[in-house]
Coordinates of all heavy atoms in Angstrom, one line a residue:
M27 N 83.6 119.1 62.4 CA 85.0 118.7 62.6 C 85.7 118.8 61.2 O 85.2 118.2 60.2 CB 85.0 117.3 63.2 CG 86.3 117.0 63.8 SD 86.2 115.6 64.9 CE 86.5 114.3 63.9
K28 N 86.8 119.5 61.1 CA 87.5 119.6 59.9 C 88.2 118.3 59.6 O 88.8 117.6 60.5 CB 88.6 120.7 60.1 CG 89.1 121.2 58.8 CD 90.0 122.5 59.0 CE 90.5 123.0 57.7 NZ 91.4 124.1 58.0
N29 N 88.2 117.9 58.3 CA 88.8 116.6 57.9 C 90.3 116.7 57.8 O 90.8 117.8 57.3 CB 88.2 116.2 56.6 CG 86.8 115.6 56.8 OD1 86.5 115.1 57.9 ND2 86.0 115.7 55.8
G30 N 91.1 115.7 58.1 CA 92.5 115.6 57.9 C 93.4 116.3 58.9 O 94.6 116.3 58.7
I31 N 92.9 116.8 59.9 CA 93.8 117.5 60.9 C 93.7 116.8 62.3 O 94.6 117.1 63.1 CB 93.4 119.0 61.1 CG1 92.0 119.1 61.6 CG2 93.6 119.8 59.8 CD1 91.7 120.5 62.2
H32 N 92.8 115.9 62.5 CA 92.7 115.3 63.8 C 93.4 113.9 63.9 O 93.4 113.2 62.9 CB 91.2 115.1 64.2 CG 90.5 116.4 64.3 ND1 90.6 117.2 65.3 CD2 89.7 117.0 63.4 CE1 89.9 118.3 65.2 NE2 89.3 118.2 64.0
P33 N 94.2 113.7 64.9 CA 94.8 112.4 65.1 C 93.8 111.2 65.3 O 92.7 111.5 65.7 CB 95.7 112.5 66.3 CG 95.1 113.6 67.1 CD 94.4 114.5 66.1
K34 N 94.2 110.0 65.0 CA 93.3 108.9 65.1 C 93.1 108.6 66.6 O 94.1 108.6 67.4 CB 94.0 107.6 64.4 CG 93.1 106.4 64.4 CD 93.6 105.4 63.5 CE 92.8 104.0 63.5 NZ 91.6 104.0 64.3
Y35 N 91.9 108.3 67.0 CA 91.5 108.1 68.3 C 91.4 106.6 68.6 O 90.7 105.9 67.9 CB 90.2 108.8 68.7 CG 89.8 108.8 70.1 CD1 90.6 109.5 71.0 CD2 88.8 108.0 70.6 CE1 90.3 109.5 72.4 CE2 88.4 108.1 71.9 CZ 89.2 108.8 72.8 OH 88.9 108.8 74.2
H36 N 92.3 106.1 69.5 CA 92.3 104.6 69.8 C 91.6 104.4 71.1 O 91.7 105.1 72.1 CB 93.8 104.2 69.9 CG 94.6 104.4 68.7 ND1 94.7 103.5 67.7 CD2 95.4 105.5 68.4 CE1 95.5 104.0 66.8 NE2 95.9 105.2 67.1
T37 N 90.7 103.3 71.0 CA 89.9 103.0 72.2 C 90.3 101.7 72.8 O 89.6 101.2 73.7 CB 88.4 103.0 71.8 OG1 88.3 102.1 70.7 CG2 87.9 104.3 71.4
E38 N 91.5 101.1 72.4 CA 91.8 99.8 73.0 C 92.3 99.9 74.5 O 92.3 98.9 75.2 CB 92.9 99.1 72.2 CG 94.2 99.8 72.0 CD 94.3 100.5 70.7 OE1 93.2 100.9 70.1 OE2 95.4 100.7 70.2
G39 N 92.7 101.1 74.9 CA 93.0 101.3 76.4 C 94.4 101.0 76.7 O 95.3 100.9 75.9
I40 N 94.6 100.8 78.0 CA 95.9 100.6 78.6 C 96.0 99.2 79.3 O 95.0 98.8 79.9 CB 96.2 101.7 79.7 CG1 96.3 103.0 79.0 CG2 97.6 101.4 80.3 CD1 96.4 104.2 80.0
V41 N 97.1 98.5 79.1 CA 97.2 97.2 79.7 C 98.4 97.2 80.7 O 99.5 97.8 80.4 CB 97.5 96.1 78.6 CG1 97.8 94.7 79.3 CG2 96.4 96.0 77.7
C42 N 98.2 96.7 81.9 CA 99.2 96.6 82.9 C 100.0 95.4 82.7 O 99.5 94.3 82.6 CB 98.6 96.6 84.3 SG 99.8 96.4 85.6
T43 N 101.3 95.5 82.5 CA 102.2 94.3 82.2 C 102.4 93.5 83.4 O 102.8 92.3 83.3 CB 103.5 94.8 81.5 OG1 104.2 95.7 82.4 CG2 103.3 95.4 80.2
T44 N 102.2 94.0 84.6 CA 102.5 93.2 85.8 C 101.3 92.3 86.1 O 101.5 91.1 86.3 CB 102.8 94.2 87.0 OG1 103.9 95.0 86.7 CG2 103.1 93.4 88.3
C45 N 100.1 92.9 86.2 CA 98.9 92.1 86.6 C 98.0 91.7 85.4 O 97.1 90.9 85.6 CB 98.2 92.8 87.7 SG 97.3 94.3 87.2
G46 N 98.2 92.4 84.3 CA 97.4 92.0 83.1 C 96.0 92.7 83.1 O 95.2 92.4 82.2
T47 N 95.8 93.7 84.0 CA 94.5 94.4 84.0 C 94.4 95.3 82.7 O 95.4 95.9 82.3 CB 94.4 95.2 85.2 OG1 94.6 94.4 86.4 CG2 93.1 95.9 85.3
H48 N 93.2 95.3 82.2 CA 93.0 96.1 81.0 C 92.1 97.3 81.4 O 91.1 97.1 82.0 CB 92.2 95.3 79.9 CG 92.0 96.1 78.7 ND1 90.7 96.6 78.4 CD2 92.8 96.4 77.7 CE1 90.8 97.2 77.3 NE2 92.0 97.1 76.8
W49 N 92.6 98.5 81.2 CA 91.9 99.7 81.6 C 91.3 100.3 80.3 O 92.1 100.6 79.4 CB 92.9 100.7 82.2 CG 93.5 100.2 83.5 CD1 94.6 99.4 83.6 CD2 92.9 100.3 84.8 NE1 94.8 99.1 84.9 CE2 93.8 99.6 85.7 CE3 91.8 100.8 85.3 CZ2 93.5 99.5 87.1 CZ3 91.5 100.8 86.7 CH2 92.4 100.1 87.5
K50 N 90.0 100.5 80.3 CA 89.4 101.1 79.1 C 89.5 102.6 79.1 O 88.8 103.3 79.9 CB 87.9 100.7 79.1 CG 87.6 99.4 78.5 CD 86.1 99.4 78.1 CE 85.8 98.3 77.1 NZ 86.5 98.3 75.9
I51 N 90.5 103.1 78.3 CA 90.7 104.5 78.2 C 91.0 104.9 76.8 O 91.7 104.1 76.1 CB 92.0 104.9 79.1 CG1 91.7 104.7 80.6 CG2 92.4 106.4 78.8 CD1 92.9 104.8 81.4
G52 N 90.4 105.9 76.3 CA 90.7 106.4 74.9 C 91.9 107.3 74.9 O 92.2 108.0 75.8
S53 N 92.6 107.2 73.7 CA 93.8 108.0 73.6 C 94.2 108.1 72.1 O 93.7 107.3 71.3 CB 95.0 107.3 74.4 OG 96.2 107.9 74.1
T54 N 95.1 109.0 71.8 CA 95.6 109.1 70.5 C 96.8 108.2 70.3 O 97.3 108.1 69.1 CB 96.0 110.6 70.2 OG1 96.9 111.0 71.1 CG2 94.8 111.5 70.2
R55 N 97.3 107.6 71.3 CA 98.4 106.7 71.2 C 97.9 105.2 71.3 O 97.2 104.9 72.2 CB 99.4 106.9 72.4 CG 100.0 108.3 72.4 CD 101.1 108.4 73.3 NE 102.2 107.7 72.8 CZ 103.3 107.5 73.6 NH1 103.4 108.0 74.8 NH2 104.3 106.9 73.0
P56 N 98.3 104.4 70.3 CA 97.9 103.0 70.3 C 98.7 102.1 71.3 O 99.9 102.4 71.5 CB 98.1 102.6 68.9 CG 99.2 103.4 68.4 CD 99.1 104.7 69.2
N57 N 98.1 101.0 71.7 CA 98.9 100.0 72.4 C 99.7 100.5 73.6 O 100.9 100.2 73.7 CB 99.8 99.2 71.5 CG 99.0 98.5 70.4 OD1 97.9 98.0 70.7 ND2 99.6 98.5 69.2
M58 N 99.0 101.2 74.5 CA 99.8 101.7 75.7 C 99.9 100.6 76.7 O 98.9 99.9 77.0 CB 99.0 102.9 76.3 CG 99.2 104.2 75.4 SD 99.0 105.7 76.3 CE 97.3 105.7 76.7
R59 N 101.1 100.6 77.3 CA 101.3 99.6 78.4 C 102.0 100.3 79.6 O 102.8 101.2 79.4 CB 102.2 98.5 77.9 CG 101.7 97.7 76.8 CD 102.5 96.5 76.4 NE 101.9 95.8 75.2 CZ 100.9 95.0 75.3 NH1 100.3 94.8 76.5 NH2 100.4 94.5 74.2
V60 N 101.6 99.9 80.8 CA 102.2 100.4 82.0 C 102.8 99.3 82.8 O 102.3 98.2 82.7 CB 101.2 101.2 82.9 CG1 100.8 102.5 82.2 CG2 100.0 100.4 83.2
E61 N 103.8 99.6 83.6 CA 104.5 98.6 84.4 C 103.7 98.3 85.7 O 103.9 97.2 86.2 CB 105.9 99.0 84.7 CG 106.8 99.0 83.6 CD 108.3 99.3 83.9 OE1 108.5 99.7 85.1 OE2 109.1 99.1 83.1
I62 N 103.0 99.2 86.1 CA 102.2 99.0 87.4 C 101.0 99.9 87.4 O 100.9 100.9 86.7 CB 103.2 99.4 88.6 CG1 102.6 98.9 89.9 CG2 103.4 100.9 88.7 CD1 103.6 98.7 90.9
C63 N 99.9 99.4 88.0 CA 98.7 100.1 88.1 C 98.1 100.1 89.5 O 98.7 99.4 90.4 CB 97.7 99.5 87.1 SG 97.1 97.9 87.5
S64 N 97.0 100.7 89.7 CA 96.4 100.8 91.0 C 95.9 99.4 91.5 O 95.6 99.2 92.6 CB 95.3 101.8 91.1 OG 94.3 101.5 90.2
N65 N 95.7 98.5 90.5 CA 95.2 97.1 90.9 C 96.3 96.3 91.5 O 96.1 95.4 92.3 CB 94.7 96.5 89.6 CG 93.9 95.3 89.9 OD1 93.1 95.3 90.9 ND2 94.0 94.2 89.1
C66 N 97.6 96.6 91.2 CA 98.7 95.7 91.7 C 99.8 96.5 92.5 O 100.7 95.9 93.0 CB 99.3 95.0 90.5 SG 100.0 96.0 89.3
H67 N 99.7 97.9 92.6 CA 100.7 98.6 93.3 C 100.5 98.4 94.8 O 99.4 98.3 95.3 CB 100.5 100.1 93.0 CG 101.6 101.0 93.5 ND1 101.8 101.3 94.8 CD2 102.7 101.5 92.8 CE1 102.9 102.0 94.9 NE2 103.5 102.1 93.7
P68 N 101.7 98.1 95.5 CA 101.6 97.8 97.0 C 100.9 98.9 97.8 O 100.3 98.6 98.8 CB 103.1 97.7 97.4 CG 103.8 97.4 96.1 CD 103.0 98.1 95.0
F69 N 100.9 100.2 97.4 CA 100.2 101.2 98.1 C 98.7 100.9 98.1 O 98.1 101.1 99.2 CB 100.5 102.6 97.5 CG 99.8 103.7 98.2 CD1 100.4 104.2 99.3 CD2 98.6 104.2 97.7 CE1 99.7 105.3 100.0 CE2 98.0 105.3 98.3 CZ 98.5 105.8 99.5
Y70 N 98.2 100.5 97.0 CA 96.7 100.2 97.0 C 96.3 98.9 97.5 O 95.2 98.7 98.0 CB 96.2 100.4 95.5 CG 96.4 101.8 95.0 CD1 97.5 102.1 94.2 CD2 95.5 102.8 95.4 CE1 97.7 103.4 93.7 CE2 95.7 104.1 94.9 CZ 96.8 104.4 94.1 OH 97.0 105.7 93.7
T71 N 97.2 97.9 97.3 CA 96.9 96.5 97.8 C 97.1 96.4 99.3 O 96.6 95.4 99.9 CB 97.7 95.5 97.0 OG1 99.1 95.7 97.2 CG2 97.4 95.5 95.5
G72 N 98.0 97.2 99.9 CA 98.3 97.1 101.3 C 99.2 95.9 101.6 O 99.5 95.6 102.7
E73 N 99.7 95.3 100.5 CA 100.6 94.2 100.7 C 102.1 94.6 100.6 O 102.4 95.4 99.7 CB 100.3 93.2 99.5 CG 101.2 92.1 99.3 CD 100.8 91.4 98.0 OE1 99.7 91.6 97.5 OE2 101.7 90.6 97.5
Q74 N 102.9 94.2 101.5 CA 104.3 94.5 101.5 C 105.1 93.6 100.6 O 105.2 92.4 100.8 CB 104.9 94.5 102.9 CG 104.4 95.6 103.8 CD 105.0 96.9 103.4 OE1 106.2 97.0 103.0 NE2 104.2 97.9 103.6
R75 N 105.5 94.1 99.5 CA 106.4 93.3 98.6 C 107.2 94.2 97.7 O 106.9 95.4 97.5 CB 105.5 92.4 97.7 CG 104.6 93.1 96.7 CD 103.8 92.1 96.0 NE 102.7 92.8 95.3 CZ 102.9 93.2 94.0 NH1 104.0 93.0 93.3 NH2 101.9 93.9 93.4
I76 N 108.2 93.7 97.1 CA 109.1 94.5 96.2 C 108.6 94.3 94.8 O 108.4 93.2 94.3 CB 110.5 94.0 96.3 CG1 111.0 94.3 97.7 CG2 111.4 94.7 95.3 CD1 112.4 93.7 98.0
V77 N 108.2 95.4 94.1 CA 107.8 95.3 92.7 C 109.1 95.4 91.8 O 109.7 96.5 91.8 CB 106.8 96.5 92.4 CG1 106.4 96.4 90.9 CG2 105.6 96.4 93.3
D78 N 109.4 94.3 91.2 CA 110.7 94.3 90.5 C 110.4 93.9 89.1 O 110.6 92.8 88.6 CB 111.6 93.2 91.2 CG 113.0 93.2 90.5 OD1 113.4 94.2 90.0 OD2 113.6 92.2 90.6
T79 N 110.1 94.9 88.3 CA 109.8 94.7 86.9 C 111.0 94.8 86.0 O 111.1 94.2 84.9 CB 108.7 95.7 86.3 OG1 109.2 97.0 86.6 CG2 107.4 95.4 87.0
A80 N 112.1 95.4 86.5 CA 113.3 95.6 85.7 C 114.4 94.6 86.1 O 115.5 94.7 85.6 CB 113.8 97.1 85.8
G81 N 114.1 93.7 87.0 CA 115.1 92.7 87.4 C 116.2 93.3 88.3 O 117.3 92.8 88.3
Q82 N 115.9 94.4 89.0 CA 116.9 95.0 89.8 C 117.3 94.1 91.0 O 118.5 94.1 91.4 CB 116.3 96.3 90.4 CG 116.0 97.3 89.3 CD 117.0 98.4 89.2 OE1 117.7 98.7 90.1 NE2 117.2 98.9 88.0
V83 N 116.3 93.4 91.6 CA 116.7 92.5 92.7 C 117.6 91.4 92.3 O 118.6 91.1 92.9 CB 115.4 92.0 93.4 CG1 115.7 91.0 94.4 CG2 114.5 93.1 93.9
D84 N 117.3 90.8 91.1 CA 118.1 89.7 90.6 C 119.5 90.2 90.3 O 120.5 89.5 90.6 CB 117.5 89.2 89.3 CG 116.2 88.4 89.5 OD1 116.0 87.9 90.6 OD2 115.4 88.3 88.6
R85 N 119.6 91.4 89.7 CA 120.9 92.0 89.4 C 121.7 92.2 90.7 O 122.9 91.9 90.8 CB 120.7 93.3 88.7 CG 122.0 93.9 88.2 CD 121.7 95.1 87.2 NE 122.8 96.0 87.3 CZ 122.8 97.2 87.8 NH1 121.6 97.7 88.2 NH2 123.8 98.0 87.8
F86 N 121.0 92.7 91.8 CA 121.7 93.0 93.0 C 122.2 91.6 93.6 O 123.3 91.5 94.1 CB 120.8 93.7 94.0 CG 121.4 93.8 95.4 CD1 122.3 94.7 95.7 CD2 121.0 92.9 96.4 CE1 122.9 94.8 96.9 CE2 121.5 93.0 97.7 CZ 122.5 93.9 97.9
M87 N 121.3 90.6 93.6 CA 121.7 89.3 94.2 C 122.9 88.7 93.4 O 123.8 88.1 94.0 CB 120.5 88.3 94.2 CG 119.4 88.8 95.1 SD 119.8 89.3 96.7 CE 120.0 87.7 97.5
R88 N 122.9 88.9 92.1 CA 124.1 88.4 91.3 C 125.4 89.1 91.7 O 126.4 88.5 91.9 CB 123.8 88.6 89.8 CG 123.2 87.5 89.1 CD 123.4 87.5 87.6 NE 123.2 88.8 87.0 CZ 122.1 89.3 86.6 NH1 121.0 88.6 86.7 NH2 122.0 90.5 86.1
R89 N 125.3 90.4 91.9 CA 126.5 91.2 92.3 C 126.9 90.8 93.7 O 128.1 90.7 94.0 CB 126.2 92.7 92.2 CG 126.0 93.1 90.7 CD 125.5 94.5 90.6 NE 126.4 95.5 91.2 CZ 126.0 96.7 91.5 NH1 124.8 97.2 91.2 NH2 126.9 97.6 92.0
L90 N 125.9 90.6 94.6 CA 126.3 90.2 96.0 C 127.0 88.9 96.0 O 128.0 88.7 96.7 CB 125.0 90.2 96.8 CG 125.2 89.7 98.3 CD1 125.9 90.8 99.1 CD2 123.8 89.5 98.9
S91 N 126.4 87.9 95.3 CA 127.0 86.6 95.2 C 128.5 86.7 94.6 O 129.4 86.0 95.1 CB 126.1 85.7 94.4 OG 126.8 84.8 93.7
A92 N 128.7 87.5 93.6 CA 130.0 87.6 93.0 C 131.0 88.2 94.0 O 132.1 87.8 94.1 CB 129.9 88.5 91.7
A93 N 130.5 89.2 94.8 CA 131.4 89.9 95.8 C 131.7 88.9 96.9 O 132.9 88.9 97.3 CB 130.6 91.1 96.3
Q94 N 130.8 88.1 97.3 CA 131.1 87.1 98.3 C 132.0 86.0 97.8 O 132.9 85.6 98.6 CB 129.7 86.4 98.8 CG 128.9 87.3 99.7 CD 127.5 86.8 100.0 OE1 127.0 85.9 99.3 NE2 126.9 87.3 101.0
D95 N 131.9 85.6 96.6 CA 132.8 84.6 96.0 C 134.3 85.2 96.0 O 135.2 84.6 96.3 CB 132.4 84.3 94.6 CG 131.2 83.4 94.6 OD1 130.8 82.9 95.7 OD2 130.6 83.2 93.5
R96 N 134.3 86.5 95.6 CA 135.6 87.2 95.5 C 136.3 87.3 96.9 O 137.4 87.0 97.1 CB 135.4 88.6 94.9 CG 136.6 89.1 94.1 CD 136.3 90.4 93.3 NE 135.3 91.3 93.9 CZ 134.1 91.5 93.3 NH1 133.8 91.0 92.1 NH2 133.3 92.4 93.8
Q97 N 135.4 87.6 97.9 CA 135.9 87.7 99.3 C 136.4 86.4 99.8 O 137.4 86.3 100.4 CB 134.8 88.2 100.2 CG 135.2 88.8 101.5 CD 135.9 90.1 101.3 OE1 135.5 90.9 100.4 NE2 136.8 90.4 102.2
A98 N 135.7 85.3 99.5 CA 136.1 83.9 99.9 C 137.4 83.5 99.2 O 138.3 82.9 99.9 CB 135.0 82.9 99.5
T99 N 137.6 83.9 98.0 CA 138.8 83.6 97.3 C 140.0 84.3 97.9 O 141.1 83.7 98.1 CB 138.7 84.0 95.8 OG1 137.6 83.4 95.2 CG2 140.0 83.6 95.0
I100 N 139.8 85.6 98.2 CA 140.9 86.4 98.9 C 141.2 85.7 100.2 O 142.4 85.6 100.6 CB 140.5 87.8 99.0 CG1 140.4 88.5 97.7 CG2 141.4 88.6 100.0 CD1 139.8 89.9 97.7
E101 N 140.2 85.4 101.0 CA 140.4 84.7 102.3 C 141.2 83.4 102.2 O 142.1 83.1 103.0 CB 139.0 84.5 103.0 CG 139.1 84.1 104.4 CD 139.6 85.2 105.3 OE1 139.3 86.4 105.0 OE2 140.2 84.9 106.4
K102 N 140.8 82.6 101.2 CA 141.5 81.3 100.9 C 143.0 81.5 100.6 O 143.8 80.8 101.1 CB 140.8 80.6 99.8 CG 140.9 79.1 99.9 CD 140.1 78.4 98.8 CE 138.6 78.6 99.0 NZ 137.8 78.0 97.8
Q103 N 143.2 82.5 99.7 CA 144.6 82.8 99.4 C 145.4 83.3 100.6 O 146.6 82.9 100.8 CB 144.7 83.9 98.3 CG 144.2 83.4 96.9 CD 144.0 84.5 95.9 OE1 144.0 85.7 96.3 NE2 143.8 84.1 94.7
R104 N 144.8 84.1 101.4 CA 145.5 84.6 102.6 C 145.8 83.4 103.6 O 146.9 83.4 104.1 CB 144.6 85.7 103.3 CG 145.4 86.3 104.5 CD 144.7 87.5 105.1 NE 143.3 87.5 105.2 CZ 142.5 88.3 104.5 NH1 143.0 89.2 103.7 NH2 141.2 88.2 104.6
N105 N 144.8 82.5 103.7 CA 145.1 81.4 104.6 C 146.2 80.5 104.0 O 146.9 79.9 104.8 CB 143.8 80.6 104.8 CG 142.8 81.3 105.7 OD1 143.2 82.2 106.4 ND2 141.5 80.9 105.6
A106 N 146.2 80.3 102.7 CA 147.3 79.5 102.1 C 148.7 80.1 102.3 O 149.6 79.4 102.5 CB 147.0 79.4 100.6
R107 N 148.7 81.4 102.4 CA 150.0 82.1 102.6 C 150.3 82.3 104.1 O 151.3 82.8 104.5 CB 150.1 83.4 101.9 CG 150.1 83.3 100.4 CD 150.2 84.7 99.8 NE 149.1 85.5 100.2 CZ 148.4 86.3 99.4 NH1 148.8 86.5 98.2 NH2 147.4 87.0 99.9
N108 N 149.4 81.9 105.0 CA 149.5 82.0 106.4 C 149.7 83.5 106.9 O 150.4 83.8 107.8 CB 150.7 81.2 107.0 CG 150.3 79.7 107.2 OD1 149.1 79.4 107.4 ND2 151.2 78.8 107.1
E109 N 149.0 84.4 106.1 CA 149.1 85.8 106.5 C 148.0 86.0 107.6 O 146.9 85.4 107.5 CB 148.8 86.7 105.3 CG 150.0 86.8 104.3 CD 149.6 87.6 103.2 OE1 148.6 88.3 103.2 OE2 150.4 87.6 102.2
P110 N 148.3 87.0 108.5 CA 147.2 87.3 109.5 C 146.1 88.1 108.8 O 146.4 88.7 107.7 CB 148.0 88.2 110.5 CG 149.1 88.7 109.8 CD 149.5 87.7 108.8
A111 N 145.0 88.1 109.3 CA 143.9 88.9 108.8 C 144.3 90.4 108.8 O 145.1 90.8 109.7 CB 142.6 88.7 109.6
P112 N 143.7 91.2 108.0 CA 144.1 92.6 108.0 C 143.6 93.3 109.3 O 142.7 92.8 109.9 CB 143.3 93.2 106.8 CG 142.2 92.2 106.5 CD 142.8 90.9 106.9
K113 N 144.4 94.3 109.7 CA 144.1 95.0 110.9 C 142.7 95.6 110.9 O 142.2 96.0 109.8 CB 145.1 96.1 111.2 CG 146.4 95.6 111.7 CD 147.4 96.7 111.8 CE 147.0 97.7 112.9 NZ 148.0 98.7 113.3
K114 N 142.1 95.7 112.1 CA 140.8 96.4 112.2 C 141.0 97.8 111.8 O 142.1 98.4 111.8 CB 140.3 96.3 113.6 CG 139.8 95.0 114.1 CD 139.3 95.1 115.5 CE 138.9 93.7 116.0 NZ 138.5 93.8 117.4
S115 N 139.9 98.5 111.5 CA 139.9 99.9 111.1 C 140.3 100.7 112.4 O 140.1 100.2 113.5 CB 138.6 100.3 110.6 OG 137.6 100.4 111.6
L116 N 140.7 101.9 112.2 CA 141.1 102.7 113.3 C 139.9 103.0 114.3 O 140.1 102.9 115.5 CB 141.6 104.1 112.8 CG 142.2 105.0 113.8 CD1 143.4 104.3 114.5 CD2 142.7 106.3 113.1
L117 N 138.7 103.1 113.7 CA 137.5 103.3 114.6 C 137.3 102.1 115.5 O 137.0 102.3 116.6 CB 136.3 103.5 113.7 CG 136.0 104.9 113.3 CD1 134.8 105.0 112.3 CD2 135.8 105.8 114.5
K118 N 137.5 100.9 114.9 CA 137.3 99.7 115.7 C 138.4 99.5 116.8 O 138.1 99.0 117.8 CB 137.2 98.5 114.8 CG 135.8 98.3 114.1 CD 135.7 97.0 113.5 CE 134.3 96.9 113.0 NZ 134.0 95.6 112.4
E119 N 139.6 100.0 116.4 CA 140.7 99.9 117.4 C 140.4 100.8 118.6 O 140.6 100.5 119.7 CB 142.0 100.3 116.8 CG 142.7 99.2 116.0 CD 144.1 99.6 115.5 OE1 144.7 100.4 116.1 OE2 144.4 99.1 114.4
I120 N 139.8 102.0 118.3 CA 139.6 103.0 119.3 C 138.3 102.6 120.1 O 138.4 102.5 121.4 CB 139.4 104.4 118.7 CG1 140.7 104.8 118.1 CG2 138.9 105.4 119.8 CD1 140.6 106.1 117.3
Y121 N 137.2 102.3 119.4 CA 135.9 102.1 120.1 C 135.6 100.6 120.3 O 134.6 100.4 121.0 CB 134.8 102.8 119.3 CG 135.0 104.3 119.3 CD1 135.3 104.9 118.1 CD2 134.8 105.1 120.4 CE1 135.5 106.3 118.0 CE2 135.0 106.4 120.3 CZ 135.3 107.0 119.1 OH 135.5 108.4 119.1
G122 N 136.3 99.7 119.8 CA 136.0 98.3 119.9 C 134.8 97.9 119.0 O 134.5 98.7 118.1
D123 N 134.3 96.7 119.1 CA 133.3 96.2 118.2 C 131.9 96.8 118.4 O 131.1 96.8 117.6 CB 133.2 94.7 118.3 CG 134.4 94.1 117.6 OD1 134.9 94.7 116.7 OD2 134.8 93.0 118.1
E124 N 131.7 97.4 119.7 CA 130.4 97.9 119.9 C 130.1 99.3 119.2 O 129.0 99.7 119.2 CB 130.1 98.0 121.4 CG 130.9 99.2 122.1 CD 132.2 98.7 122.6 OE1 132.6 97.6 122.4 OE2 133.0 99.6 123.1
A125 N 131.1 99.9 118.7 CA 130.9 101.2 118.1 C 130.2 101.1 116.8 O 130.1 100.1 116.1 CB 132.3 101.9 117.8
Ligands
LIG205 ZN1 98.7 96.2 87.5

């Protein structure tokens, strides 16, 4: 083996940040981390759940709550002014609520 041309070989492996499993794999990259592995992925565990490592569900719930608050405020202002509720959409006028 020629000296000085080969990258350093790291043997610390890969760590899953979700379940903490340590996978013994050699690589030229140090400290590799993955968000999900076969030990905790719903496909392999057979368990139905949402894997939310990036906080997407929390973000969606915050946006949903903000939208509902905004809707309630608009409804309250409309009731204060005694305005009728907005007309139904044209589709609902034609087909009714069952459409
Ligand atoms: Zn895992």
Side-chain angles (χ1 to χ4, degrees):
M27 200 162 87
K28 197 172 178 182
N29 285 332
I31 62 165
H32 298 284
K34 186 169 174 8
Y35 189 67
H36 301 272
T37 54
E38 59 259 29
I40 297 174
V41 175
C42 175
T43 56
T44 303
C45 67
T47 304
H48 182 259
W49 297 91
K50 273 202 165 299
I51 295 172
S53 173
T54 55
R55 301 188 71 188
N57 299 322
M58 286 205 290
R59 298 186 183 283
V60 291
E61 289 183 350
I62 195 156
C63 68
S64 62
N65 196 39
C66 59
H67 192 283
F69 180 81
Y70 296 100
T71 60
E73 169 190 344
Q74 288 289 324
R75 67 184 168 92
I76 296 172
V77 180
D78 185 25
T79 54
Q82 299 260 331
V83 173
D84 290 338
R85 187 168 153 247
F86 173 78
M87 294 312 281
R88 269 200 315 273
R89 290 170 62 194
L90 177 67
S91 146
Q94 286 171 339
D95 289 349
R96 213 168 30 243
Q97 198 73 31
T99 306
I100 289 169
E101 188 72 28
K102 209 178 288 177
Q103 288 171 348
R104 186 172 34 247
N105 286 342
R107 289 183 303 221
N108 279 332
E109 285 179 8
K113 282 178 67 173
K114 286 181 181 176
S115 72
L116 189 58
L117 272 177
K118 281 193 175 180
E119 277 185 31
I120 294 171
Y121 297 109
D123 285 332
E124 72 272 359

